[in-house]
Amino acid sequence: MIPTQQYGEFETAWCPGCGNFSINKAVKKALSMLDLAPHRVLICSGIGQAAKSPHYLRCNCFNGLHGRSLPPAQGAALANTELTVFAESGDGCSYGEGGNHFLAAMRRNVTMTYLVHDNQIYGLTKGQASPTTAQGQTTKFQPGGVASMPFNPVAVAVTMDVPFVARAYAAEADHLADLIVQAARHPGFALVDILQPCVSFNKVNTYAWYKQRCYKLGPEYDPTDWASAMRKAQEFGDQIPIGVIYKGSRPPFEGRIDARVRRPLATSKPDLGKLAEILETYA
Amino acid sequence: MPDSSVNIVIGGEAGQGLVTVGDFLAKALVRAGYEIVVTQDYQSRIRGGHNTYAIRASHEAVFGPRETIDLLVALNAQTVSLHKDKLTARAMVLADEAIDLAGLSGLSIPFKTLCPKPIFENMAALGVLAQLLCIEPAWLEGLITETFHKKGDQVVAENLKVFADSLAWAHARNAGFSCIAPAERTEKRYFMNGNEAIALGALAAGANFCSYYPMTPSTSVAATLIDKGGQMGMLVEQAEDEIAAINMALGASYAGARVVVPTSGGGFALMVEGVSLAGMTETPVVIVLAQRPGPATGLPTRTEQGDLSMVLYAGHGDFPRAVYAPGTPEQCFDVTYRAMDQAEKWQSPVFVLTDQYLADSFRAVTPFDLSRLPRVSSPELGTDAPDRYERYADTPSGVSPRLIPGFGEHLVVLDSDEHTADGHITEDLGVRIRMVDKRMRKAAGLLADCLAPEVTGSAAPDTLLVCWGSTYGPALEAARNLREQGVDAAVMHFLQVYPLSPEHFLPTLEAARRVVMVEGNYSGQLALLIKQETGFAFKEVITRYDGLPLTAAYILERL
Ligand SMILES: Cc1ncc(C[n+]2csc(CCOP(=O)(O)OP(=O)(O)O)c2C)c(N)n1
Ligand code: SF4
C-alpha cells in the first residue's frame, strides 16, 4: 500500500468546513488502497470548486474546461492504457454544462471512474441553482424557487445499465474511499455521485440535513438486481441510501477496440510499409 | 481530329448511380494516362434532386473545372434542360431513348435493349462513353473486373457483357464524337481526392487517434481514416458532438496519441473553446476544416473559402497557431504531414483548410514518396533524468519539455486556468505575464517554419493573380490563358495562410503591375489578412460565393 502522504498536502481555495475536504481525503485513501503510485493516476476535471480537486493531490492532472471533464478523460483512457483514469467535478459541471457528455459516456462505457461532488448548487459562481437543486428551493438567483425538477444522475445511470453506480456522502470519508476503490476496480464506466455540503451557499442540504437522512445499504441489499436498484435510486427524501446502488456487467468499450490498435498509442509508430500497400489501392 | 481536352458532365438524380459512372470513367482515364479534374455538385438530399459529376480530362495538365460541356450524359430529362446552354459546338448529349433531346445533337441509347436489368445502365453508359472518347476498353474492363470480383464471376461476366454490347452498339452507330488525344503518360498515378490525401498525409505522420462528429464535407476525411487508418492501427471514435470531439482528442493527445480532428465550419464553431484549451495547455492537435458556404448551416454540399477569418481568430485570448491551405491532393498530403509535425513541434493547434470542391475533386496524383518523408517531431515518453519536471518550464523557444503521463515517475499537470511552470492554477499576475510571453514566443518559431507562397510565372509580372487553397488550379489556368493572349501573368499561391512572413511575398506584390486577389468568399479574407499584416491593400479582389468553385472562365470574365 502506498502511504497517503505520497499524494501530498496542499493549501486549497475551499471555504473552511466545505465537504470537498473530506472527499479529497477519501480520494487519497482510495488511491492508497488501490496501491496506485501518483504517476499512474490521471484525474481529469472541469471547472468549479470541485474541479480544483486534482490540484490538491499529487497525480497527473488534466484540468480542462467547464462541463468537459469526461471527453478528455475518455480520450486519455483510450490512448494510454498505462493510466488509471478518473474524472472529478461538480454537479453543475457534470450534469449541466456536461450533460450530453455524461449521456454519451454512459453509452460508450470506457473504463474510468466519474466522481461527482454533488452539492446541489453552483459554488464557484456564488450560489445559483444546479441541475440537482430541489424543485422550489430558493437561491439568490432563483428567488422564486427553482422551477425545474432536479436531475437524478443515479437513476439515469441505473437506467443506462452503467456497470457501477454508487451514491456516497462526503462526511462518510471511509465509506466513500471504499466505494471509490470498488468503482476503480470495476471494468467499464463507474459513477460515484457524492453528496457534498456547501457551507457557503446551500442552506438546505447541510451536514445536519444529510446526517439525519443518509443511511448505508447493508449486506442484505443486492446491487445486481436492476429493479431494486431502480427503487433505491429513486429514494431521495427523508431517507437517502448510500453505498453501491447498482452493479451491472455490460462489457466495457475497450473490448470493442480493433485488435490492430496498438496501445498505449504513444508507443505506436506509423507502419510506412503498410501505408505503401494502402496507397497501392489508389493506383 | 482528336481534341486535347474534354469536359464530360454526368447529370441525374441522387441515387441514380451517376457517381458510379463518374468514378469508373475518371479512374479509367487516370490509368490510361490522362490528367483529370473532377467536380461534384450535389444537393443536401440522399435521393432525387439534381446532381452532377463533371470530369475534365486531357492528355496535358488540367488545373481546374470548366463550365462548358462537350459530353453530357443525361440520366434524366432535367439534366438536358438544365445544361443545354452550356454545350459547346461539338457537344453531344447521351440519354435514354425515352428522353427528348430537344433537337440537340446526341445519341439516344436503347438502355432497355442493352441492359438485362436497369441496374446495368451504368455499364451501358460506360460502354458508349469509352467508344466516343476512344479510350482503350481494357482500362474499363480491368476496373469492372476488379470492382465486381468480390461478387463472383457471374456478376463480373454480366457487367462486362453489357459494357461490350454497348460499346459495339455505339461503334455501329458511328456517332462521330471527336476523341481525346491519346495520353502519353505511362507511369503510375493515384486516383484520389483532396480529403483522401489529407487523411493519408495524417497517417503517414503517425496520426493514431481521431475523434470527429460527422459534417459534410469533412466526413470523407473521417471515412478514409476509419477505412485505411483502421488497417494502420488508428483509433477512430465518433463523439457525441464537436465539443466532445476536440476535447477527447486533447485528452488523447495529452496521453500520447497523435491526433487529427476533421470538421466543417458549423462544427468548428462548437470546437472553438477546445481550440483555446489547446492554446492554453499547449496540447498538439491538427484540425482539418473542410469549408462550405456559411454562415450557420449555409449550403451544406457546396463550396466556399469563407472560414479563414474564423480560424485565424478562433479562441479567446492570445496564443499561437498555424493555418495551411492546400490546393491539390499532392499538397493536401504534404501539408497535412507537415501540420502534424508542426503541431507536435510547437505544441500548438494547427489547421488544414480544405473545402467541398477540393474534398470531392479526384485527380491523377503523382505517387507520394514515403521514403523521403522527414521525421515527425514527437514528445518524450518519460525521463528519469531531471528530478524535477515542469510541463511548462520557461525556455528560450517557448516550447517546454513534453512528457507523456504514466511512462515515468514524473507528473504531467495541465490546466485551462493560467498556471505555474508545474501546471498548477495560479493567480500570480507576474507568472501570468511570463506564461503569456512563453506561449507567444512559440509564434516566432511557427513563423520561422512557415512556408513561402509559390509563385508560378515571372517575378515582376504584368498581372499577378494571388490565391490560397483550392483556388490554385483555376488561377493557374487563368494565368496560362492570359499568357496565351500575350499578357505576362503569374500566380502567387498561399499554401500556408498563417503566420505570414512578408519578405516571402511583399516584394513580388509590389513589383507586379497589376495585383488581383482571387478568393472563394464575399469579403476577400486573405486580402484583409495581408493588409492587416503588411499594409498592402489589394485594389482588385475577385470573389465567388455562389457555392460553386472558381474557374478560369469566372476569373477571366472579371479581370
Ligand atoms: C464555459 C463556461 N461557462 C461558465 C463558467 C463559469 N463557471 C465556473 S464554475 C461554474 C459552476 C460550477 O458549479 P459546480 O460544477 O456545481 O461546481 P462547484 O463550484 O459547486 O464545486 C460556472 C458556471 C465557466 N468557467 N466556463
Ligand atoms: S462555495 Fe461551497 S462548495 Fe465551494 S468551497 Fe465553499 S463551501 Fe465548498
Side-chain angles (χ1 to χ4, degrees), chain B residues 459-461 464 492 501-512 515 534 536:
Chain B
L464 179 68
M492 177 183 281
S501 200
E503 69 271 22
H504 282 156
F505 57 88
L506 205 52
T508 312
L509 290 184
E510 282 163 352
V515 179
T534 68
F536 183 91

Side-chain angles (χ1 to χ4, degrees), chain B residues 314-513:
Chain B
H316 49 292
D318 292 310
F319 56 93
R321 70 188 80 204
V323 187
Y324 294 95
T328 64
E330 283 91 344
Q331 288 180 351
C332 284
F333 182 89
D334 291 346
V335 141
T336 307
Y337 186 91
R338 190 179 173 81
M340 298 297 302
D341 175 59
Q342 291 284 300
E344 294 285 340
K345 187 172 172 190
W346 300 105
Q347 301 178 12
S348 292
V350 174
F351 301 88
V352 177
L353 287 179
T354 174
D355 53 46
Q356 181 268 331
Y357 158 57
L358 187 57
D360 290 329
S361 185
F362 288 94
R363 313 283 171 92
V365 174
T366 306
F368 311 129
D369 186 354
L370 299 181
S371 67
R372 290 183 54 191
L373 294 175
R375 217 176 75 90
V376 174
S377 314
S378 49
E380 298 295 320
L381 284 186
T383 172
D384 299 320
D387 20 307
R388 191 173 152 76
Y389 170 67
E390 292 183 329
R391 172 65 189 92
Y392 300 108
D394 207 347
T395 62
S397 66
V399 176
S400 309
R402 186 158 86 96
L403 295 184
I404 301 307
F407 283 88
E409 303 260 313
H410 293 301
L411 300 180
V412 187
V413 178
L414 169 162
D415 203 287
S416 67
D417 281 66
E418 191 54 271
H419 40 255
T420 52
D422 60 1
H424 288 290
I425 294 182
T426 185
E427 294 195 45
D428 178 324
L429 304 185
V431 172
R432 157 70 183 176
I433 291 173
R434 285 198 294 284
M435 277 295 158
V436 174
D437 291 346
K438 176 196 110 69
R439 288 191 292 271
M440 290 314 296
R441 233 175 285 141
K442 299 189 294 180
L446 280 158
L447 181 66
D449 273 359
C450 84
L451 300 172
E454 269 179 29
V455 178
T456 311
S458 60
D462 282 342
T463 300
L464 179 68
L465 300 176
V466 184
C467 64
W468 59 282
S470 71
T471 301
Y472 186 38
L476 283 178
E477 183 178 345
R480 186 172 67 176
N481 292 349
L482 286 172
R483 284 196 296 274
E484 283 162 8
Q485 296 161 26
V487 181
D488 178 19
V491 169
M492 177 183 281
H493 176 247
F494 284 83
L495 75 171
Q496 176 158 10
V497 283
Y498 193 82
L500 292 173
S501 200
E503 69 271 22
H504 282 156
F505 57 88
L506 205 52
T508 312
L509 290 184
E510 282 163 352
R513 201 177 55 79

Side-chain angles (χ1 to χ4, degrees), chain A residues 39 42 55 59-61 63-65 68 71-72 75 80 100-101 104 108 253 260 265-266 275 279-280 282-283, chain B residues 31 188 190-191 208 228 233 237 240-241 243 248 254-256 273 381 405-406 408-409 411-412 414-416 424-425:
Chain A
H39 71 275
L42 167 62
H55 287 288
C59 65
N60 293 296
C61 160
N63 184 185
L65 299 170
R68 318 288 174 229
N80 195 343
N100 192 26
H101 306 312
R108 202 175 277 122
F253 183 91
R260 290 173 296 194
L265 293 177
L275 182 62
L279 289 174
E280 280 310 295
Y282 288 90
Chain B
R31 286 195 180 178
K188 182 178 71 187
Y190 301 140
F191 172 72
N208 53 18
K228 313 298 178 187
E237 175 62 357
E240 53 272 28
D241 53 34
I243 297 171
M248 198 179 271
Y254 160 82
E273 58 161 24
L381 284 186
E409 303 260 313
L411 300 180
V412 187
L414 169 162
D415 203 287
S416 67
H424 288 290
I425 294 182

Side-chain angles (χ1 to χ4, degrees), chain A residues 18-268:
Chain A
C18 172
N20 287 339
F21 289 103
S22 50
I23 299 178
N24 183 259
K25 212 169 112 194
V27 172
K28 286 181 186 169
K29 183 175 176 202
L31 295 177
S32 160
M33 286 159 76
L34 287 161
D35 207 20
L36 284 170
H39 71 275
R40 297 185 46 217
V41 178
L42 167 62
I43 304 185
C44 297
S45 67
I47 294 296
Q49 294 288 68
K52 292 175 181 167
S53 292
H55 287 288
Y56 303 150
L57 80 127
R58 288 187 63 238
C59 65
N60 293 296
C61 160
F62 187 115
N63 184 185
L65 299 170
H66 190 44
R68 318 288 174 229
S69 65
L70 283 174
Q74 293 165 97
L78 291 174
N80 195 343
T81 40
E82 304 290 302
L83 296 168
T84 299
V85 179
F86 296 83
E88 185 171 3
S89 218
D91 49 335
C93 184
S94 303
Y95 306 137
E97 190 100 7
N100 192 26
H101 306 312
F102 179 47
L103 295 182
M106 289 191 287
R107 292 178 50 223
R108 202 175 277 122
N109 201 21
V110 171
T111 297
M112 61 162 287
T113 303
Y114 198 20
L115 305 174
V116 182
H117 297 215
D118 191 349
N119 57 9
Q120 292 143 284
I121 206 84
Y122 281 15
L124 191 59
T125 48
K126 303 206 162 102
Q128 300 84 359
S130 90
T132 53
T133 310
Q135 196 165 28
Q137 186 167 322
T138 57
T139 76
K140 208 169 149 190
F141 295 84
Q142 281 85 14
V146 173
S148 305
M149 88 178 253
F151 181 68
N152 183 335
V154 172
V156 172
V158 174
T159 306
M160 288 303 295
D161 197 14
V162 166
F164 185 94
V165 185
R167 171 159 271 153
Y169 171 41
E172 293 279 359
D174 290 340
H175 182 244
L176 168 59
D178 177 57
L179 291 174
I180 296 173
V181 169
Q182 291 188 56
R185 287 196 176 132
H186 203 85
F189 185 68
L191 169 72
V192 184
D193 185 73
I194 309 161
L195 302 168
Q196 173 231 327
C198 167
V199 294
S200 297
F201 298 112
N202 193 332
K203 303 297 180 201
V204 178
N205 311 104
T206 59
Y207 283 101
W209 191 89
Y210 285 121
K211 190 163 192 246
Q212 214 173 44
R213 291 168 170 79
C214 290
Y215 73 95
K216 290 184 188 133
L217 288 166
E220 73 294 343
Y221 174 72
D222 176 12
T224 63
D225 176 22
W226 188 85
S228 51
M230 215 46 208
R231 273 193 302 279
K232 283 292 168 204
Q234 305 285 354
E235 211 177 298
F236 196 95
D238 293 342
Q239 292 275 298
I240 304 173
I242 59 172
V244 183
I245 305 281
Y246 180 64
K247 251 191 217 173
S249 53
R250 193 149 59 96
F253 183 91
E254 302 87 85
R256 297 190 300 277
I257 292 179
D258 191 323
R260 290 173 296 194
V261 175
R262 294 175 298 275
R263 296 192 301 153
L265 293 177
T267 61
S268 141

